[in-house]
Amino acid sequence: MQSIPQSTKERILGAAEVLFAQHGFDGASLRQLTAAAGVNLAAVNYHFGSKDRLIEEVFRRRLDELNGRRMAGLARIAGLEETTLEDVLGAFIRPALELSHDGNGSLFMRVLARAFAEHDDTLRKFLSENYGHVMRQFTAEFARLLPHLSKEELYWRVDLVTGALTHAMSGFGMIQRKSDVTERTHREQAASHLIRFAAAGLSHP
Amino acid sequence: MQSIPQSTKERILGAAEVLFAQHGFDGASLRQLTAAAGVNLAAVNYHFGSKDRLIEEVFRRRLDELNGRRMAGLARIAGLEETTLEDVLGAFIRPALELSHDGNGSLFMRVLARAFAEHDDTLRKFLSENYGHVMRQFTAEFARLLPHLSKEELYWRVDLVTGALTHAMSGFGMIQRKSDVTERTHREQAASHLIRFAAAGLSHP
DNA sequence: GTCTATAAAGTGATAGAC
DNA sequence: GTCTATCACTTTATAGAC
């Protein structure tokens, strides 16, 4: 297998993901970031224009893929007679699990969690405009499977699922991985617990 | 009622809570903070020693009260034969609700959410050492009420409840308050949905 | 496309007068 | 206990050489 040298742009994006996860968007400076990427300080502004635009690209790089997989998974099962709530939750959660098994993908889930905590209007608008349709599609499928719930009741429950998902997938929790369990297995357990927990929380009478 | 003038220390703590919620611990500078409090820049270092110690005091001021109420609520109901899961969840969640109805208390819930996202070891250690016993007490009561769950299974579920709670109480969600609902009512709805959601997620077979 | 150098402003912290 | 002034850095961003 031939090794393909990473472009400066890719090196910056990779280092940014790691450092934003660890220190936050304000906490990670362009100096730390370019040093970690092994590129010149001025390269960020040359390739991205500003730090804010770099932040957006860090999201876009992962979310295009992540939400594409979610939509593909949903398309495969949505509307079928025998679809279960667990199937739909799996279509949403499993792509996040696969991402977090791949290289620094798990760190990206922490970046995403920071974006929620940030409450920044610009960032929220960017996420909502570019990826809002995914949540809407999934919510529509939940509505079909849970016809006993009012629209409002459903929205609240989906919102709480989002919270549990963000928490679990970004590794916020106090649950420490035991030394005899690989990190991969630990995350798989998290996803499996999450799917059953969310299904119960969504569907209770 | 006589108005009691706030001390410099209290003014700083109040302004810090607001600005840390809005801009984060790194994002809010001591200059912004002291200007908002109407005190001199040097006052932070005089009264608290450093920015990090100020951050700790912002937590301590609210968490002593918040967790005290939680423990008092739990003591009132724990161990009783007829205690329900909803009662215990209420004892945990209602003090947070009351806090968020009081002045800038709702902003503090956002500060707390940021602390989770921060993943900072020093801060996590501070929270765990000072308030870890609260989660342990509540988990013990959950264990009593849910004897069919293994220890591991219960830990996962409690962790997921924490995520949903943080999310809901800090107002992360996409659910926008409607104009005909007061903010107070909105938060009460959030708490009520949360308690039922968490009870279902904790207790499913 | 990458580099150095630097501008212009902001940062936490502190010394010392009052 | 509060003030001004300042130290010693770090920040993002950019101009201009190569």
Side-chain angles (χ1 to χ4, degrees), chain A residues 111-122:
Chain A
V111 176
L112 202 54
R114 280 193 186 266
F116 272 105
E118 215 59 52
H119 261 238
D120 178 88
D121 276 345
T122 314

Side-chain angles (χ1 to χ4, degrees), chain B residues 1-15:
Chain B
M1 194 161 95
Q2 208 174 335
S3 104
I4 300 156
Q6 269 189 316
S7 71
T8 296
K9 228 172 156 170
E10 283 165 337
R11 299 166 63 82
I12 291 172
L13 285 168

Side-chain angles (χ1 to χ4, degrees), chain B:
Chain B
M1 194 161 95
Q2 208 174 335
S3 104
I4 300 156
Q6 269 189 316
S7 71
T8 296
K9 228 172 156 170
E10 283 165 337
R11 299 166 63 82
I12 291 172
L13 285 168
E17 182 169 71
V18 175
L19 289 167
F20 287 155
Q22 286 171 346
H23 306 296
F25 305 111
D26 271 296
S29 72
L30 294 185
R31 276 171 175 78
Q32 284 181 279
L33 208 148
T34 48
V39 304
N40 189 273
L41 170 60
V44 168
N45 277 278
Y46 178 78
H47 286 283
F48 298 96
S50 70
K51 186 178 182 178
D52 280 343
R53 299 254 299 282
L54 166 62
I55 293 174
E56 281 193 6
E57 285 309 308
V58 168
F59 284 104
R60 204 188 301 277
R61 181 173 75 133
R62 297 291 192 183
L63 288 180
D64 283 355
E65 169 86 3
L66 178 66
N67 283 322
R69 282 174 185 245
R70 282 173 168 165
M71 293 299 265
L74 186 62
R76 230 172 285 126
I77 58 168
L80 298 180
E81 190 86 26
E82 72 277 19
T83 303
T84 66
L85 206 49
E86 279 85 353
D87 291 336
V88 180
L89 284 165
F92 194 79
I93 290 163
R94 242 173 246 124
L97 181 68
E98 284 154 22
L99 173 59
S100 75
H101 283 159
D102 160 46
N104 284 328
S106 64
L107 286 179
F108 176 74
M109 296 309 287
R110 278 171 63 182
V111 176
L112 202 54
R114 280 195 187 265
F116 273 106
E118 215 60 51
H119 261 238
D120 179 89
D121 275 345
T122 314
L123 197 50
R124 282 169 95 86
K125 199 179 161 198
F126 167 79
L127 292 175
S128 153
E129 277 175 4
N130 287 281
Y131 308 104
H133 65 288
V134 180
M135 273 318 294
R136 282 191 288 278
Q137 277 269 27
F138 274 88
T139 304
E141 187 60 19
F142 288 136
R144 193 181 70 87
L145 293 173
L146 300 165
H148 64 293
L149 297 181
S150 72
K151 211 171 165 177
E152 215 196 303
E153 182 74 46
L154 178 66
Y155 282 173
W156 277 106
R157 296 186 188 194
V158 169
D159 205 37
L160 294 169
V161 169
T162 308
L165 171 69
T166 308
H167 187 89
M169 279 295 146
S170 66
F172 276 3
M174 56 175 186
I175 289 198
Q176 298 298 321
R177 175 168 64 87
K178 289 176 196 152
S179 52
D180 61 342
V181 178
T182 65
E183 192 164 333
R184 183 192 191 91
T185 307
H186 183 80
R187 266 198 288 270
E188 272 161 10
Q189 285 173 356
S192 146
H193 281 101
L194 181 56
I195 289 174
R196 287 179 289 125
F197 179 88
L202 280 177
S203 63
H204 75 269

